[in-house]
Each structure stands twice: as structure tokens, then as C-alpha cells.
Amino acid sequence: MKTLSTHKDTYEWTALSVTTVGALLASIQGSALTVALPDILTGLKAGFLTIMWVLLAYLLITTALVPVIGRLADMFGRKNLYNAGFAIFTLGSLLAGLSQPQFHAWDMVASRVIQGVGGALLFTNSTAIVADAFDHGRIGLGLGVNQIAAAAGFLLGPVIGGLLTAISWRWVYLVNVPLGVFGTVWGMLRLREPVSPAPSQTFDWPGSLTFTFGLGAVLLALSLLAFPLLPLSSVYIVLGCGVAGLIAFFAVEVNAPQPMLDLRLFSHRLFSFASLANALNGLARGAVLFVLIFFLQGPYGKDPLQAGIMMAPFGAAFMLVGPFSGYLSDKHGSRGLATAGLLVSAVGLFGLSRIGATTPYWLIALFMILMGGGSGLFSSPNTNTIMSSVSREHRGSAAGIRTMLNNTGQMLSISIAFPLVLSRIPQEVMFKIFLYGGGMSGAPHALGSFIAGVHEVFLISVAITLVAALVSALQPSHKLALPVHAQEAEEP
């Protein structure tokens, strides 16, 4: 793959402006949707099962597709795939906003699948686009600034969701349409393709199909374990099919001349250690924010809008620390910053493992600041390590692997954490807390068990975070490492 000359001093910020719109849109959508769920349930005459699939379908599709899309980005370039993702995400938003009651929200589930395809295209290519746009030694700064949009969306989402839901829940989706059209056109006009694909590349269909089926089935089984929507025997069948699919994938990839997932990347110690720390961080964090929202809506007695706003300290700390840590990782390396970030997060998580229904909010906010600040301190340097440890022609694959491992860790975290919390309270109480909040006055006998489950989840997260910190501390310095599979020297 040959590097094309660009005026990086101006283009790097242009690339950031385009990818920032996508990150902001996706982040606002996620946090705003939780506020709109009660109105969606009523408006579409849906049941709890359907509403859960509205939330899970997007994450399932995104996680299963990102490695495949990463390979496509390395084959055909980032720009067109990113713009296609914007257009597909916008289409999914339009269809979701037009969902009709006679389908009881299952048409919205289908629309969320379409959004997930668009989201996978956006997430995978945005990281590669930023890494390509910034010169070597400045990638951390670009990735850190790009994270401001995701954190800002997390902060603004509940407020925007509350305001839009007051008009109609449909606007939570429909507001994405003009923004998505703008983002698509802006990307088409302003993005460049900084690399030219190598000729004579072939797409690994057997590997892609077996991987997508296998990982998708495993993630589906994990979701069904977290929310017992089907008999346990059916869940085990789905899990067995997923494991068989992944075994078939590895058997295919060993002999593939141009594999979908280049497993040789993991032979590079820096890439493999940073990726493992990223996966463990996803495992530690995946369920934490969801459980904390459950706590605020349950024992703390808040409604979804109030709970969303009360989560602001986490997003604010993440937004402030992320760009700064990314900049520092370019100057001083990532290992120390990422490890310190995980240790700070562990302190915040341990504090959250001691909270109760009478804990003052300022103390909960302090623990959220530590957790959010630690996450920001880890995320930008870790992503910098992953993207800097591979050559340009493998950055699409690296971005896809990074997103896939983090999301898989998050879904596994949910499958572990939610049974610890939700299995201890009656299902009708869980349903009420999840959608409407307002406290647990209807089941005071379950309050103690609920809080005990919350404490266990946070303590498990502390333990996993400490393991992630150890892995991060053992990785070599990325400032001294050469990219794996580098075919040519980076531009000075």
C-alpha cells in the first residue's frame, strides 16, 4: 500500500471535524435512547422482550461486523466505507423514527440492525482515518481530541433525549437524519484517501462468514444469559453453534492466503498486550454504567432523565482527561499513562462498591470522576499504542480488532453483572426500575439484595481492572517499537 502525499497540517483537523460528527451522533443516540424507552414502549405497544432487543441488536451487529469491515478498509480504503456508514446509519434512524404500533417495535429492532451496520462502518474507519491523518508522534493527540465528541454526546444525550421525548419519542431517531445527511456530504467533500490499496487483493469469504456467525452467536448467547428471555437449553444451543463457528473460523484462517483477520498481528508483543488490556478494560467497564444507572433509578429513586443527568461527572472527567492523555502519550509513551489510568479507575470502582441508598450524591459523583478520569487516562494512550504498533496498510484491521475486543468484553461483562443484580429482585420490579425508575417502594424487601449485587459487580470490576493494569504495565514502550508488518518507513 503506497502512501499518498497530503498537507497534514490542515487535513488532520479536517479529518477530525468529519469523524467528530459521527462520534457525537452515535454517542448522543445511545444515551438519549434510554430516556425515550418508556414512551417507545407505550407508543408502539411493545413488550419488555422487544425493548431489550432494541438495545441489544445494535451492539450485537456492531461488534460482530467491525473486524470484517476493518479488513475491507485495508483493501478498499477508509473514505468511501466511512461515508457509506454515515448514510446507512441515517437510513436506519429514519426507519426507526417511522416505526408503527402494529409491529410492536419489531420493525424498530430491524432498523437498529441497519443502524448497527452503519455504526460498524463509522467506528472502524473513524479511528483509522484519524490515525492516518496525523503524523507519527501526533496520533495520540488526534485520538484524544476525537474522544471529546463521544464524551460530549454521553453528557448531552439525556438532556436532548428528554427534550425530544417531550415532543415525541420519534424525534430521538429523526433528529439524526439531517445531521447524518450533513455528515455524509461533509465526508464526501472533505475526506481524502491517504493510502492507495495494494493490487490483487482477495476477500476472505469463508473466514468472514464463519467469524461473523460464530462471534454473533456467542454474543447472542451472552445477551440471553444476561436477560433470561429464552429457556436455558436454547441458550446453550446458540452458544454451542457460536463456538463451533469460531473453531471453523480458526481452521479456515490458518490456510487462508489473505485472511480476513491477520492473526500475525498478535505476534507483535506491543499490539497483543495493548489489545489484551483493552479487552480487559471493556470487561471491567461494560456493565458498570448500566448498573450505576439501575442503582440511581432503583435505590436512589430517580427517573431515567434525572439518572442520566446525574451520570455527567463520568463523561465530564473522561472528556477533560482524554485529549490531554493522548497528547502526553505522544511525548512520553503510553505504558505509564494507561497503567495509571486503570489504577485510578480501580480506586473509583472500589469507592462505588461501598455506596448505598443513603450515600450522598457528592460522594458518588467523586467516585464517578475518578472512574471517568481514569478511563480517559487509559483510553487515548491505549488506542494510540494499538494504532501506532501497526503499519498503515493494517490500521483498518487494527481498529476493527480493537473495537471488537472492547465490545465483546462489554457484552461478557453484562452477562456476568446483570444476573448478580437483577436475579435478586422480582421481574416486575426490574421492569419498572429499568424503564421508569422512581425507587423500590414496591419491593422494599429486595432493596438489600439489590445493593449487595451492585457491590459484587463493582468489586469484580476492581479485580479485572487490576489485572488489566498489570497487563498494561508489562507491555513494552510504544515509543521504541516499530510497527508490525511495516512495508516502508513512515513519512518524517
Side-chain angles (χ1 to χ4, degrees):
M1 188 174 286
K2 182 180 179 182
T3 304
L4 304 177
S5 63
T6 58
H7 298 290
K8 288 179 178 286
D9 55 339
T10 57
Y11 176 66
E12 58 188 22
W13 300 108
T14 299
L16 265 182
S17 72
V18 177
T19 57
T20 294
V21 175
L24 182 65
L25 193 63
S27 182
I28 288 177
Q29 174 80 109
S31 54
L33 182 58
T34 58
V35 177
L37 284 177
D39 286 63
I40 293 174
L41 179 115
T42 303
L44 297 181
K45 303 175 183 177
F48 184 68
L49 168 65
T50 317
I51 292 299
M52 290 312 306
W53 282 116
V54 168
L55 295 175
L56 293 174
Y58 180 84
L59 188 56
L60 277 169
I61 294 298
T62 301
T63 305
L65 286 183
V66 285
V68 178
I69 290 172
R71 172 58 182 155
L72 290 173
D74 288 336
M75 291 179 63
F76 303 112
R78 339 282 195 212
K79 174 181 175 179
N80 291 334
L81 289 175
Y82 180 85
N83 293 331
F86 237 136
I88 293 171
F89 186 89
T90 304
L91 174 63
S93 299
L94 175 63
L95 295 176
L98 298 177
S99 300
Q100 297 301 310
Q102 59 264 34
F103 298 110
H104 303 291
W106 287 110
D107 53 342
M108 181 179 288
V109 174
S111 301
R112 290 283 286 170
V113 170
I114 296 173
Q115 276 191 317
V117 174
L121 287 161
L122 287 173
F123 296 145
T124 305
N125 288 284
S126 62
T127 305
I129 286 170
V130 173
D132 286 339
F134 279 75
D135 286 317
H136 188 70
R138 287 169 54 84
I139 294 176
L141 172 63
L143 294 170
V145 173
N146 193 235
Q147 288 186 350
I148 293 178
F154 181 83
L155 289 172
L156 296 173
V159 178
I160 293 175
L163 294 174
L164 293 176
T165 303
I167 303 172
S168 171
W169 63 263
R170 296 182 184 277
W171 281 105
V172 172
Y173 290 108
L174 295 178
V175 73
N176 295 335
V177 176
L179 294 175
V181 171
F182 167 78
T184 304
V185 175
W186 184 245
M188 293 172 63
L189 294 175
R190 303 299 296 168
L191 281 182
R192 302 173 188 172
E193 191 58 70
V195 291
S196 58
S200 304
Q201 295 192 78
T202 58
F203 185 66
D204 179 17
W205 282 105
S208 299
L209 293 175
T210 52
F211 179 85
T212 304
F213 170 78
L215 182 61
V218 169
L219 294 176
L220 176 59
L222 293 177
S223 303
L224 294 172
L225 286 174
F227 303 97
L229 306 175
L230 291 177
L232 200 57
S233 58
S234 301
V235 177
Y236 289 146
I237 292 174
V238 174
L239 181 61
C241 290
V243 172
L246 290 178
I247 292 173
F249 162 74
F250 284 109
V252 168
E253 292 300 273
V254 169
N255 300 314
Q258 296 185 27
M260 181 278 292
L261 186 64
D262 193 348
L263 299 177
R264 291 176 299 171
L265 292 175
F266 290 97
S267 66
H268 192 270
R269 187 164 176 257
L270 180 60
F271 179 84
S272 59
F273 271 65
S275 296
L276 178 57
N278 171 57
L280 289 171
N281 182 63
L283 180 60
R285 299 289 178 283
V288 165
L289 296 180
F290 287 104
V291 170
L292 194 53
I293 288 177
F294 261 101
F295 172 82
L296 293 173
Q297 294 183 192
Y300 230 60
K302 306 301 179 182
D303 61 42
L305 177 58
Q306 292 173 321
I309 294 173
M310 292 173 74
M311 294 290 292
F314 173 86
F318 188 96
M319 182 172 63
L320 292 174
V321 174
F324 184 62
S325 66
Y327 171 78
L328 289 178
S329 70
D330 289 328
K331 304 297 181 183
H332 307 290
S334 299
R335 180 175 56 193
L337 290 166
T339 304
L342 291 168
L343 293 175
V344 171
S345 293
V347 174
L349 288 166
F350 182 78
L352 290 172
S353 72
R354 317 310 300 167
I355 60 176
T358 59
T359 302
Y361 173 70
W362 68 264
L363 187 56
I364 297 176
L366 175 62
F367 295 144
M368 283 194 283
I369 289 172
L370 291 172
M371 187 176 68
S375 296
L377 193 59
F378 167 82
S379 183
S380 297
N382 177 261
T383 306
N384 187 8
T385 299
I386 292 172
M387 300 306 293
S388 298
S389 66
V390 301
S391 56
R392 287 181 182 272
E393 63 266 28
H394 289 89
R395 280 179 177 163
S397 296
I401 291 171
R402 172 191 167 273
T403 304
M404 180 267 293
L405 290 175
N406 187 265
N407 286 3
T408 300
Q410 289 186 40
M411 298 201 73
L412 180 59
S413 174
I414 291 172
S415 70
I416 295 172
F418 273 49
L420 289 174
V421 177
L422 302 183
S423 63
R424 305 186 181 197
I425 59 176
Q427 191 171 35
E428 63 275 9
V429 177
M430 174 191 73
F431 182 79
K432 174 182 176 295
I433 292 174
F434 179 74
L435 289 174
Y436 304 104
M440 299 180 63
S441 58
H445 58 283
L447 179 61
S449 298
F450 184 96
I451 293 177
V454 169
H455 290 172
E456 290 178 12
V457 169
F458 286 131
L459 287 174
I460 292 172
S461 296
V462 170
I464 297 172
T465 301
L466 292 176
V467 174
L470 176 61
V471 172
S472 179
L474 292 175
Q475 73 183 28
S477 171
H478 93 267
K479 287 180 69 64
L480 302 178
L482 292 175
V484 64
H485 297 330
Q487 302 297 321
E488 55 184 302
E490 291 281 342
E491 286 185 338

